[in-house]
Amino acid sequence: GHFRDARFELRSNAAGKFLRQYDWTWKKNPFVGTRELNGLKILIMLASNWDNKDARDSGSNTGILQRGAGPDRQWLYLVTDWGGSMGKWGNFFSREKWDCDGFREHTSDFVKKVEDGTVRFGFSGKHDDDFKERIRPSDARWLMRYLGRVSDAQLRAALVASGASKHELTCFTRSLRSRINQLRSAAKVQSTGRQT
């Protein structure tokens, strides 16, 4: 069959069990300060996912999944909702989702500058300062090892799979490439403040 504007959630014991009584916040979790968590934050900002609620908020978009049992047990820390993505960030009245013109409008402000060993982002979401602070150029360098390999053809394929129109396909691809290039430039800044 065909679906339009649908949302899906995998519900399978094989995938694991959501621990509804546990949650995590951007400020309080076992990964604070790591390149992996900071890389996730960059990806959320790259996609303009302004709905970055955590356990401090009702309707949190973070969760923990337990997979396996005994000594092989794993806990997966998840961002469970990316629906506020690919549009305008901002305050309650100005943010949008899946709005290419708004996404493009904010692209030039994606990476504002690198200052005092920190990448400064223009992003504005449900959580701002505690979310986007303390992201280092080295975190961007680590993420670019993976993100830097994504081609425009792969971006377009993902957008087509997401239902992008021809206009959106061109608009989003150009904006995403510009944001990736801004991040690439930020990643080149060393702790001395100079680009390599």
Side-chain angles (χ1 to χ4, degrees):
H2 298 280
F3 298 91
R4 191 173 179 92
D5 299 325
R7 295 172 66 167
F8 301 92
E9 180 177 332
L10 177 63
R11 294 186 182 268
S12 163
N13 290 336
K17 174 183 168 188
F18 269 104
L19 303 177
R20 302 260 181 230
Q21 70 273 29
Y22 299 104
D23 209 335
W24 59 277
T25 70
W26 296 110
K27 290 173 74 167
K28 193 172 182 182
N29 66 73
F31 312 104
V32 170
T34 64
R35 64 187 184 190
E36 291 83 2
L37 181 64
N38 287 343
L40 174 61
K41 290 177 180 182
I42 293 169
L43 287 176
I44 287 171
M45 291 185 284
L46 178 78
S48 290
N49 185 7
W50 48 261
D51 196 11
N52 58 339
K53 294 182 292 192
D54 61 21
R56 294 172 285 179
D57 306 293
S58 62
S60 173
N61 289 334
T62 60
I64 300 174
L65 183 78
Q66 179 182 315
R67 184 184 294 168
D72 295 328
R73 182 173 46 201
Q74 297 176 317
W75 291 276
L76 306 176
Y77 285 66
L78 308 173
V79 174
T80 59
D81 187 347
W82 290 74
S85 298
M86 304 302 286
K88 292 173 73 170
W89 60 57
N91 66 36
F92 180 77
F93 296 105
S94 65
R95 55 185 175 234
E96 295 286 338
K97 51 188 169 184
W98 196 262
D99 169 21
C100 189
D101 295 326
F103 188 83
R104 180 181 56 224
E105 177 185 322
H106 287 228
T107 293
S108 63
D109 205 29
F110 174 58
V111 174
K112 294 175 79 71
K113 61 184 170 181
V114 178
E115 179 179 66
D116 299 326
T118 304
V119 183
R120 307 281 185 212
F121 293 91
F123 174 81
S124 175
K126 297 262 181 154
H127 292 288
D128 281 341
D129 294 337
D130 61 337
F131 180 80
K132 62 185 182 179
E133 286 183 348
R134 294 180 291 283
I135 297 176
R136 304 165 300 262
S138 60
D139 299 323
R141 272 194 298 283
W142 175 80
L143 180 61
M144 287 305 295
R145 290 174 29 202
Y146 307 97
L147 183 60
R149 295 185 292 199
V150 175
S151 69
D152 284 359
Q154 290 169 315
L155 292 174
R156 284 191 296 273
L159 290 162
V160 166
S162 298
S165 68
K166 286 184 180 183
H167 165 71
E168 291 168 336
L169 190 60
T170 301
C171 175
F172 278 131
T173 301
R174 286 182 181 159
S175 294
L176 285 166
R177 179 55 55 202
S178 174
R179 290 178 184 210
I180 292 169
N181 288 340
Q182 289 174 50
L183 194 57
R184 185 183 315 277
S185 294
K188 292 179 180 178
V189 176
Q190 296 296 323
S191 58
T192 59
R194 295 182 306 196
Q195 282 201 343
T196 58

